[in-house]
C-alpha cells in the first residue's frame, strides 16, 4: 500500500534487518501472520528468549505480517533508516495490537484543518490504515510495482491495485487542497502543503515575473522568480539519522554504502532555515532550461536535460542531488509555461520512482491551471476596482460655506464593485449640489450604469437646473440605457447665503439632519419613484439649513439588511447620531470625519448585504454681514457704479488694500456683461476665506480668453482677470451666465 498519509505528515523509510528487502512488498503466508500475532499477544507466557534472537524473530515476523495483511493502525512506523528491531519490539509490546496508535514518527500537524484530514483519509484508504514507508510503488521507499516475488502467489496483482488506489487518493486529496486557493499565494501554498512532507521533503516553486494574463505575450526576456519554498525540517535535525544507520558509520559513509548522495550535497535548508536557491532566473532561448520547460513533462534530476537545466534554475552554487532524488516539473497553464516546481527528497528517504513522475505531472498541471485562473481573477478584480474608483470622486470639493466628508464600502472584499455613488458639485452663487444614488445590483454592469448616471447628473447640475428637473432627465437617461436600468437617487442643492436646502427624491431613503443641539431629525421629503420607471413626476421641497447642522445622505446598504428592515435601520441611525452628538457636547457639532466612522460602526456582522455610500455635509453658511449684493442696469454708467459699490464694501470690511485690484477687475467683467445683457446685471461680493466676486447677466454666451493683437483696442479684460485673480471661471445658467473671480485676503497666506 502506498503511503501518502497526510498533507502534513511525511512517510519514513524502513530499513530491513536483512539488507535489501523492504517491508510491505508482496503478501506473507498466513503462518507468518500467526507467528507475529503470537509474539504480540503471548510474549509473557513462555520462557524468556535472548534479546537479540527475540528481536530478530519479531522483526522477521512483523515484515511477514505486514506483507500478508497490510499494516493496521496499531503498528508503529520506524523513523528514518532504523532497523526493524525497534519496530518489532514496539509491535510485541503490550497494547500494540490493532486499534492502538503507536506512531513514533513526527506528530501530524493539524493546523491546516480539513486539508490535512482529506489527505489523511485518502492515505488510509478503506480501512487499510497507515503503511510503512516503501509499502507501494509511487510512495517514498517503494521498489516498484514489479517487486520481488512473495511465497504464496497472488500478491503482485493485489499489491499493485492497492498502490494505484493509494496514489489516486493522494492525488485527489492534493488537488482538492490546491483547488481551494483563490489567489496566487493560496494556490502555491496549497501545492507546498499538499506535497511536503507527504510526497517530498522540500519543494521550490518558481513563477514567471511578471505572470502573463490571458493572451498577453512577453515583450522582454522570460524571467522566473522564486515564489515560495517549503521543507520538512531543518538540516540539523536530519543529522539525527546518523545514529540509526549503523554503529561506526557516518553520514557520508552511509550514503556511499547505499550508492546515494551524502547530506552535504543535498542541503535542503540553509543556516537560517531557508532553501538556498537563486531568487531570479532568466531563461535563455535555446538553453537547457528552456528545452526542459518546453517539454512540459516532469523529469528526474538524473536525466541529461535536467542535469544541465537545474544549475541554470537554482544557481551554479547550489549542489545538485544525484540519482532520482529531485524532480523538475514544468508548470504549464492554458497556453504557455508559467513556472517550474522542484521536488526534493533527502537521502534518508528512498528516491523517486517512475510512477512518481505521473504524480508530479498531476500536481503541476492542477497548480498551473489554478494559477492561470487566479491571475485572470485578479485582473478582473483589478479592473472592477479601478472602474469603481474612477466612478467615484477622488476627493471632494471644498465649496464656500459647507464642509464635506464621505465613505464608501463595497458589499464584499472579493467584489469591490457596485452601483452606489455620491458626489458634490459646486454651483454658481457659492451653492453646492449634493448627490447620492444607488443602481440596482452590485456588478460590473451596475458600476457602468452608475458611471453614466453620475456623468449625466454632473452635466445637468452645471446647467443649474432645479433638483426635480435633474431627476426627470436622469429618469429619461436610465430608460434610454435599458428597460431594466433602475436606480434610486437623492439630489439636494444647498445655498449658504440663504441658509436653505432644496431636496428632490427618487425612491431613496430619506436624509437625516443632525442639529447643533444634538437633535437628529429624519427629514420629510417626497418619496418619489425610482429612476428608470418612467412617466413619474418628481417633487422638490425647500427646507431650512441652519448653521452648524449636519446633513447625512446615504444608500440603503447602511440601514437595511437581512436582519432588519429599512425603517428600523433609519431609526437606529437617528439614535446613533443623537448619541454621538451628546458625547461631543451640545454647544459644538461632532467632528465630521469621526462622525462618519462612528456611523459605520453601527453595522453588525450580518448588516453588510449591499454597498454603502455615505455623504455628510456640515452647514457653516455665510453670514449676511459678509455678503454685498447690487443690481445694475445695462447702461454705460454701470461699470463706474460697480467700482463705487465695491469700494464701499471693502471699506466696511476693512479690506482697503484690495481696492485697486478689485475695482479694475470688477470694471472689466461688468463692462463685458453690459455689452451683451438686456436685463439688469447682478453684482455680488462674498467675504469668506477669500474675497469672491460674481457678476451675472442674461446672455448665455460664455466669455473666452484670447490673445489680443497690438493694434486691437479691446480683448484684454479677461487677460487681466487671469493675471490678477487667484481663480476665475464662467458658468452657464438656465437664465444666462455667471462670471466669477476670487482674490486672496490680506494675510491669508500667513494664517494658512
Amino acid at each position: 500500500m502506498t503511503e501518502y498519509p497526510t498533507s502534513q505528515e511525511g512517510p519514513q523509510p524502513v530499513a530491513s534487518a536483512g539488507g535489501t528487502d523492504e517491508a510491505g512488498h508482496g503478501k506473507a503466508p498466513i503462518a507468518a501472520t500467526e507467528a507475529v500475532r503470537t509474539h504480540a499477544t503471548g510474549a509473557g507466557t513462555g520462557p524468556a528468549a535472548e534479546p537479540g534472537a527475540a528481536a530478530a524473530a519479531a522483526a522477521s515476523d512483523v515484515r511477514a505480517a505486514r506483507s500478508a495483511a497490510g499494516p493496521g493502525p496499531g503498528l508503529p512506523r520506524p523513523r528514518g533508516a532504523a532497523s526493524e528491531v525497534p519496530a518489532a519490539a514496539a509491535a510485541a509490546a503490550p497494547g500494540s495490537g490493532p486499534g492502538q496508535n503507536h506512531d513514533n514518527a513526527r506528530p501530524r500537524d493539524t493546523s491546516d484543518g480539513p486539508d490535512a484530514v482529506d489527505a489523511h483519509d485518502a492515505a488510509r484508504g478503506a480501512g487499510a490504515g497507515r503503511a510503512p514507508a516503501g509499502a507501494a510503488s509511487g510512495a517514498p521507499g517503494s521498489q516498484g510495482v514489479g517487486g520481488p516475488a512473495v511465497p504464496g502467489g497472488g500478491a503482485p496483482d493485489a499489491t499493485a491495485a492497492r498502490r494505484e488506489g493509494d496514489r489516486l487518493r493522494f492525488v485527489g486529496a492534493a488537488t482538492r487542497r490546491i483547488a481551494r486557493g483563490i489567489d496566487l499565494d493560496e494556490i502555491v501554498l496549497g501545492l507546498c502543503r499538499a506535497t511536503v512532507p507527504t510526497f517530498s521533503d522540500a519543494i521550490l516553486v518558481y513563477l514567471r515575473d511578471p505572470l502573463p494574463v490571458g493572451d498577453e505575450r512577453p515583450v522582454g526576456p522570460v524571467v522566473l522568480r522564486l515564489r515560495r519554498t517549503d521543507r520538512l525540517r531543518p538540516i540539523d535535525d536530519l543529522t539525527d539519522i546518523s545514529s540509526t544507520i549503523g554503529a561506526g558509520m557516518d553520514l557520508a559513509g552511509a550514503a556511499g554504502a547505499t550508492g546515494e548522495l551524502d547530506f552535504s550535497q543535498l542541503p535542503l535548508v540553509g543556516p537560517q532555515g531557508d532553501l538556498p536557491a537563486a531568487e531570479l532566473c532568466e531563461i535563455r532561448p535555446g538553453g537547457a532550461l528552456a528545452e526542459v520547460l518546453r517539454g512540459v513533462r516532469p523529469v528526474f534530476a538524473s536525466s541529461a536535460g535536467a542535469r544541465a537545466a537545474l544549475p541554470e534554475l537554482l544557481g551554479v552554487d547550489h549542489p545538485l542531488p544525484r540519482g532520482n532524488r529531485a524532480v523538475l516539473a514544468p508548470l504549464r497553464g492554458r497556453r504557455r509555461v508559467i513556472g517550474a516546481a522542484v521536488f526534493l527528497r533527502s537521502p534518508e528517504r528512498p528516491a523517486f520512482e517512475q510512477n512518481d513522475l505521473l504524480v508530479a505531472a498531476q500536481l503541476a498541471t492542477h497548480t498551473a491551471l489554478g494559477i492561470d485562473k487566479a491571475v485572470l481573477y485578479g485582473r478582473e478584480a483589478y479592473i472592477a476596482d479601478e472602474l469603481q474608483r474612477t466612478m467615484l470622486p477622488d476627493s471632494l470639493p471644498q465649496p464656500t460655506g459647507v464642509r464635506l466628508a464621505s465613505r464608501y464600502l463595497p458589499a464584499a472584499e472579493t467584489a469591490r464593485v457596485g452601483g452606489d455613488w455620491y458626489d458634490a458639485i459646486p454651483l454658481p452663487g457659492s451653492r453646492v449640489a449634493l448627490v447620492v444614488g444607488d443602481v440596482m445590483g452590485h456588478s460590473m454592469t451596475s458600476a457602468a450604469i452608475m458611471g453614466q448616471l453620475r456623468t449625466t447628473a454632473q452635466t445637468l447640475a452645471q446647467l443649474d437646473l432645479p433638483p426635480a428637473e435633474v431627476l426627470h432627465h436622469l429618469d429619461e437617461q436610465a430608460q434610454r440605457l435599458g428597460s431594466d436600468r433602475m436606480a434610486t437617487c437623492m439630489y439636494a442643492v444647498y445655498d449658504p447665503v440663504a441658509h436653505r436646502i432644496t431636496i428632490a427624491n427618487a425612491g431613496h431613503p430619506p436624509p437625516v439632519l443632525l442639529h447643533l443641539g444634538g437633535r437628529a431629525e429624519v427629514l420629510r421629503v417626497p418619496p418619489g419613484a425610482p429612476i428608470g420607471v418612467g412617466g413619474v413626476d418628481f417633487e422638490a421641497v425647500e427646507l431650512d439649513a441652519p448653521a452648524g447642522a449636519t446633513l447625512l445622505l446615504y444608500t440603503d446598504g447602511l440601514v437595511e439588511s437581512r436582519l432588519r428592515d429599512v425603517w428600523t435601520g433609519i431609526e437606529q441611525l437617528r439614535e446613533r447620531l443623537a448619541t454621538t452628538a451628546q458625547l461631543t457636547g451640545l454647544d459644538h457639532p461632532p467632528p465630521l470625519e469621526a462622525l462618519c466612522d462612528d456611523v459605520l460602526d453601527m453595522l453588525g456582522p450580518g448588516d453588510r448585504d449591499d454597498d454603502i455610500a455615505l455623504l455628510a455635509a456640515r452647514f457653516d453658511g455665510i453670514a449676511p454681514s459678509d455678503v454685498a449684493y447690487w443690481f445694475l442696469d445695462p447702461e454705460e454708467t454701470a461699470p463706474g457704479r460697480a467700482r463705487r459699490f465695491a469700494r464701499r464694501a471693502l471699506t466696511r470690511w476693512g479690506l482697503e488694500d484690495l481696492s485697486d485690484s478689485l475695482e479694475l477687475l470688477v470694471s472689466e467683467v461688468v463692462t463685458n456683461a453690459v455689452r451683451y445683457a438686456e436685463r439688469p446685471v447682478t453684482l455680488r461680493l462674498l467675504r469668506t476665506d477669500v474675497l469672491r466676486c460674481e457678476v451675472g447677466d442674461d446672455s448665455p454666451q460664455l466669455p473666452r480668453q484670447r490673445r489680443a493683437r497690438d493694434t486691437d483696442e479691446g480683448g484684454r479684460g479677461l487677460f487681466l482677470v487671469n493675471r490678477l485673480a487667484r481663480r476665475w471661471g464662467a458658468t452657464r445658467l438656465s437664465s444666462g451666465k455667471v462670471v466669477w473671480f476670487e482674490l486672496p485676503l490680506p494675510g491669508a497666506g500667513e494664517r494658512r
Side-chain angles (χ1 to χ4, degrees):
M1 170 180 168
T2 304
E3 182 186 13
Y4 291 115
T6 67
S7 61
Q8 292 295 316
E9 185 175 359
Q12 305 294 339
V14 180
S16 64
T20 59
D21 291 339
E22 297 270 339
H25 290 279
K27 182 179 290 186
I30 300 301
T33 306
E34 296 298 331
V36 74
R37 188 173 300 158
T38 302
H39 279 289
T41 59
T45 60
E50 293 183 4
S60 176
D61 293 341
V62 166
R63 289 196 301 274
R66 288 177 177 172
S67 300
L75 291 180
R77 182 175 53 179
R79 170 185 171 89
S83 66
E84 288 284 359
V85 176
S96 62
Q100 302 296 326
N101 185 4
H102 291 276
D103 192 350
N104 59 353
R106 187 171 67 93
R108 179 164 64 96
D109 183 6
T110 60
S111 60
D112 286 333
D115 303 327
V117 175
D118 288 345
H120 178 65
D121 295 339
R124 296 180 64 90
R130 276 186 194 161
S137 170
S142 63
Q143 297 294 334
V145 176
V150 179
D157 293 340
T159 303
R162 285 197 303 271
R163 294 169 182 168
E164 187 64 25
D166 293 340
R167 183 181 297 109
L168 292 177
R169 282 188 289 271
F170 165 72
V171 172
T175 52
R176 286 195 301 271
R177 177 71 164 87
I178 297 170
R180 286 192 183 101
I182 296 179
D183 58 18
L184 184 62
D185 292 331
E186 289 180 352
I187 294 173
V188 175
L189 177 62
L191 171 65
C192 295
R193 294 293 173 83
T195 56
V196 177
T198 307
F199 182 70
S200 63
D201 289 326
I203 185 175
L204 299 95
V205 181
Y206 282 84
L207 297 180
R208 288 178 58 169
D209 187 24
L211 278 167
V213 180
D215 297 331
E216 291 183 358
R217 295 185 177 275
V219 295
V222 178
V223 177
L224 297 182
R225 179 182 292 276
L226 184 61
R227 185 78 184 192
R228 184 178 179 87
T229 63
D230 207 348
R231 79 284 192 281
L232 176 61
R233 52 185 177 270
I235 190 65
D236 294 338
D237 295 346
L238 299 180
T239 59
D240 297 339
I241 200 64
S242 60
S243 60
T244 65
I245 292 178
M249 182 180 296
D250 57 3
L251 295 178
T258 58
E260 300 293 348
L261 182 68
D262 58 36
F263 289 113
S264 63
Q265 293 176 294
L266 185 58
L268 292 183
V269 291
Q272 304 301 326
D274 58 336
L275 288 166
E279 182 73 18
L280 292 176
C281 167
E282 180 177 341
I283 302 178
R284 300 191 304 271
L289 181 58
E291 293 298 326
V292 172
L293 296 180
R294 188 179 293 112
V296 176
R297 297 180 179 178
V299 294
F300 290 123
S302 58
S303 64
R307 282 199 303 269
L310 282 175
E312 185 178 345
L313 178 65
L314 305 180
V316 294
D317 298 332
H318 192 284
L320 299 179
R322 298 196 191 102
N324 296 346
R325 296 198 174 277
V327 173
L328 174 58
L331 302 178
R332 177 176 174 81
R334 295 186 304 160
R335 288 179 172 83
R336 59 180 63 85
V337 174
I338 59 175
V342 180
F343 302 95
L344 297 170
R345 281 187 183 173
S346 62
E348 67 171 333
R349 294 178 66 172
F352 291 106
E353 295 186 350
Q354 192 66 32
N355 289 331
D356 291 327
L357 295 181
L358 301 178
V359 176
Q362 288 287 331
L363 298 177
T365 299
H366 283 81
T367 301
L369 293 178
I371 291 174
D372 252 358
K373 294 178 182 179
V375 171
L376 291 174
Y377 172 79
R379 173 60 63 89
E380 181 180 352
Y382 170 78
I383 294 174
D385 191 40
E386 287 297 312
L387 176 63
Q388 184 73 52
R389 197 193 316 274
T390 54
M391 293 302 178
L392 298 175
D394 293 335
S395 60
L396 293 174
Q398 298 299 326
T400 302
V402 62
R403 285 174 287 171
L404 303 173
S406 63
R407 294 291 186 275
Y408 174 79
L409 292 179
E413 289 297 324
T414 55
R416 300 182 58 87
V417 63
D420 294 15
W421 91 91
Y422 60 88
D423 211 345
I425 309 168
L427 299 178
S430 299
R431 296 172 300 154
V432 59
L434 307 175
V435 190
V436 169
D438 183 4
V439 178
M440 180 179 60
H442 41 81
S443 62
M444 298 275 288
T445 303
S446 302
I449 297 173
M450 177 267 287
Q452 298 182 48
L453 294 180
R454 177 173 178 250
T455 302
T456 304
Q458 289 180 333
T459 303
L460 296 173
Q462 294 300 324
L463 297 177
D464 199 26
L465 297 178
E469 286 294 319
V470 172
L471 295 183
H472 175 73
H473 288 292
L474 284 176
D475 180 54
E476 293 180 342
Q477 177 65 15
Q479 294 180 64
R480 285 191 290 267
L481 295 176
S483 58
D484 58 344
R485 310 309 191 194
M486 299 180 62
T488 62
C489 183
M490 181 78 66
Y491 188 90
V493 176
Y494 170 65
D495 189 346
V497 177
H499 295 272
R500 303 282 289 178
I501 186 170
T502 305
I503 304 176
N505 185 22
H508 206 75
V512 179
L513 184 65
L514 178 62
H515 293 269
L516 184 59
R519 181 174 64 91
E521 173 189 7
V522 179
L523 298 182
R524 297 179 178 272
V525 296
I531 292 174
V533 174
V536 179
D537 292 333
F538 298 97
E539 301 179 15
V541 58
E542 187 174 353
L543 305 171
D544 289 331
T550 303
L551 182 69
L552 206 68
L553 304 177
Y554 52 91
T555 56
D556 58 356
L558 180 65
V559 295
E560 186 179 19
S561 68
R562 293 169 295 179
L563 304 179
R564 60 182 179 183
D565 61 85
V566 60
W567 289 109
T568 300
I570 292 174
E571 181 62 22
Q572 292 178 357
L573 174 62
R574 188 193 65 80
E575 294 176 355
R576 187 61 174 260
L577 291 175
T579 302
T580 303
Q582 293 175 0
L583 292 176
T584 58
L586 303 180
D587 55 342
H588 61 278
L592 205 56
E593 296 290 341
L595 180 64
C596 292
D597 294 335
D598 191 68
V599 166
L600 294 180
D601 287 341
M602 64 177 284
L603 297 173
D607 296 339
R608 289 287 303 280
D609 300 333
D610 198 0
D611 305 344
I612 297 175
L614 177 65
L615 179 63
R618 174 71 43 77
F619 299 143
D620 293 334
I622 300 177
S625 58
D626 293 329
V627 181
Y629 196 89
W630 302 275
F631 287 94
L632 303 173
D633 293 329
E635 301 172 351
E636 296 182 355
T637 59
R641 296 174 57 196
R643 290 193 295 270
R644 290 195 298 271
F645 291 151
R647 189 182 310 116
R648 293 174 187 172
L650 293 181
T651 301
R652 185 171 69 250
W653 292 332
L655 301 176
E656 292 85 352
D657 295 340
L658 298 178
S659 294
D660 294 338
S661 299
L662 180 62
E663 289 182 28
L664 176 59
L665 299 183
V666 166
S667 179
E668 294 293 339
V669 175
V670 171
T671 299
N672 189 72
V674 169
R675 182 179 301 176
Y676 301 100
E678 297 180 358
R679 297 180 181 178
V681 176
T682 60
L683 171 64
R684 185 165 72 169
L685 297 179
L686 302 174
R687 183 187 65 169
T688 57
D689 54 341
V690 296
L691 180 63
R692 182 182 177 97
C693 176
E694 300 173 350
V695 177
D697 60 76
D698 60 348
S699 175
Q701 183 178 358
L702 297 180
R704 293 287 184 266
Q705 181 182 353
R706 63 185 181 89
R707 183 178 296 276
R709 293 174 296 182
D710 295 339
T711 57
D712 292 343
E713 296 183 359
R716 296 179 177 83
L718 291 181
F719 177 78
L720 294 175
V721 174
N722 185 63
R723 294 298 299 269
L724 297 179
R726 192 182 73 167
R727 291 195 312 156
W728 76 279
T731 304
R732 182 179 285 110
L733 307 177
S734 57
S735 59
K737 67 175 180 295
V738 169
V739 180
W740 57 269
F741 62 86
E742 294 177 352
L743 294 174
L745 298 180
E750 290 78 2
R751 287 196 298 269
R752 287 196 297 269

